[in-house]
């Protein structure tokens, strides 16, 4: 059955559905020689080009070998940015990733330049979109070193919800991670991926996160034997667990 153009191209790794919408609006995508429209649907026999480059359509039926997405895990070190290019010449998280024969790596969420930890990539735009969209409530867990120890009333407020500049936000859970001296560790879970959300939540209570490490995204956790800068491809059962989430 024909599928919406955004869904098909996202599944082929062209980019997110929002990115594809932008290409359509700019007139850069053609279907069978005509400029694509947002409501177009594609079947396997259609000819699709982006900037005159042919995009091969493979069968997208769920469960076929061609439709299985690749998922790459990366232990992001501090100092790298989550962008394909940087005008300032800083190293990006895409710099050392293996090359794909087809499509491109799409980052599932982001980490700011001063954060480290688990970052996932996929060649399937639909999977990336589903794992990032707030409506799907995919858990992100972080180990956070806070300068100072939070009082119970502050922790209660963070669990109940506080108003940030982009709306109400909260931690789904907070676990004490111990610590000595002024610094104290907490393990926190959020269900969205807003910009600097974890840091801003702590700052709302007058506390600053001096170190932040993402240790889990959905069903995928950061292995203890991995080191910053390493990447590894998820096994099929791990990918299936992500798909089911």
């Amino acid at each position: 059955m024909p599928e919406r153009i955004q869904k098909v191209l996202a599944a082929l790794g062209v980019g997110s559905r929002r990115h594809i919408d932008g290409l359509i609006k700019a007139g850069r995508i053609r279907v069978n020689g005509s400029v694509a429209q947002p409501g177009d649907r594609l079947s396997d026999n259609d000819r699709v080009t982006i900037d005159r480059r042919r995009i091969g359509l493979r069968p997208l039926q769920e469960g076929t070998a061609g439709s299985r997405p690749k998922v790459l895990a990366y232990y992001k070190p501090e100092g790298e940015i989550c962008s394909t290019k940087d005008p300032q010449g800083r190293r990006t998280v895409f710099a050392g990733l293996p090359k794909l024969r087809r499509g491109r790596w799409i980052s599932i969420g982001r980490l700011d330049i001063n954060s480290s930890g688990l970052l996932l990539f996929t060649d399937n735009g639909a999977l990336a979109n589903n794992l990032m969209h707030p409506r799907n409530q995919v858990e992100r867990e972080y180990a956070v070193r806070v300068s100072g120890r939070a009082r119970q009333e502050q922790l209660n407020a963070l669990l109940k919800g506080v108003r940030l500049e982009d709306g109400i936000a909260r931690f789904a859970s907070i676990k004490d991670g111990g610590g000595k001296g002024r610094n104290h560790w907490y393990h926190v879970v959020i269900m969205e991926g807003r910009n600097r959300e974890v840091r801003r939540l702590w700052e709302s209570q007058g506390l600053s996160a001096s170190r932040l490490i993402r240790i889990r995204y959905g069903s995928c956790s950061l292995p203890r034997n991995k080191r910053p800068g390493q990447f590894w491809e998820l096994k099929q059962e791990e990918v299936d667990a992500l798909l089911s989430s």
Side-chain angles (χ1 to χ4, degrees):
M1 295 293 290
E3 297 276 8
R4 285 180 62 87
I5 185 171
Q6 293 91 337
K7 179 179 179 180
V8 174
L9 296 183
L12 291 172
V14 172
S16 67
R17 297 190 190 190
R18 181 178 297 178
H19 173 69
I20 294 165
D21 278 332
L23 295 178
I24 292 172
K25 290 177 181 177
R28 295 170 59 186
I29 301 180
R30 289 181 174 266
V31 179
N32 301 324
S34 299
V35 176
Q37 302 298 318
D40 284 351
R41 291 180 175 270
L42 300 179
S43 60
D44 296 339
N45 296 324
D46 286 320
R47 178 184 176 88
V48 179
T49 59
I50 300 178
D51 297 332
R52 298 184 179 181
R53 178 173 62 89
R54 177 76 180 270
I55 303 297
L57 303 182
R58 62 172 181 258
L60 296 174
Q61 290 84 1
E62 186 175 357
T64 63
S67 67
R68 288 196 176 275
K70 292 180 180 292
V71 179
L72 196 71
Y74 179 58
Y75 192 156
K76 176 193 175 300
E78 294 179 8
E80 292 186 355
I81 64 169
C82 292
S83 177
T84 54
K85 297 179 181 179
D86 180 48
Q88 300 179 37
R90 295 170 295 184
R91 182 177 173 85
T92 81
V93 295
F94 291 89
L97 299 185
K99 301 296 182 183
L100 285 170
R101 292 178 59 188
R102 182 176 192 165
R104 65 186 182 92
W105 291 119
I106 302 167
S107 175
I108 301 174
R110 303 165 67 89
L111 288 170
D112 68 53
I113 190 170
N114 296 317
S115 299
S116 63
L118 181 65
L119 192 61
L120 298 178
F121 298 86
T122 181
D123 63 344
N124 187 299
L127 174 60
N129 183 67
N130 285 334
L131 288 172
M132 289 187 289
H133 202 289
R135 70 168 178 267
N136 291 326
Q137 295 287 284
V138 178
E139 292 187 348
R140 290 91 155 159
E141 184 175 355
Y142 299 81
V144 187
R145 187 179 67 189
V146 175
S147 297
R149 186 162 186 168
R151 302 186 305 274
Q152 189 58 50
E153 57 265 31
Q154 292 173 308
L155 298 177
N156 292 341
L158 291 170
L159 290 168
K160 184 177 180 180
V162 297
R163 182 171 294 280
L164 304 178
E165 58 266 30
D166 53 356
I168 300 295
R170 69 181 185 90
F171 290 133
S173 67
I174 304 174
K175 295 181 180 178
D176 194 307
K180 296 181 180 179
R182 176 169 175 76
N183 293 319
H184 202 83
W185 285 90
Y186 296 92
H187 283 203
V188 300
V189 172
I190 59 174
M191 311 299 284
E192 297 179 272
R194 301 189 211 175
N195 183 41
R196 298 184 70 254
E197 183 176 3
V198 174
R199 294 183 185 275
R200 290 188 292 136
L201 277 166
W202 287 110
E203 289 167 1
S204 74
Q205 304 302 304
L207 300 166
S208 63
S210 58
R211 192 174 180 194
L212 190 150
I213 309 168
R214 183 192 282 159
I215 57 176
R216 182 170 61 87
Y217 197 112
S219 60
C220 184
S221 297
L222 182 66
R224 291 182 177 274
N225 63 342
K226 300 299 182 182
R227 296 291 179 267
Q230 287 184 296
F231 62 83
W232 60 100
E233 189 167 345
L234 297 193
K235 298 177 182 178
Q236 190 57 57
E237 57 267 28
E238 295 174 306
V239 175
D240 289 341
L242 275 175
L243 286 168
S244 65
S245 68

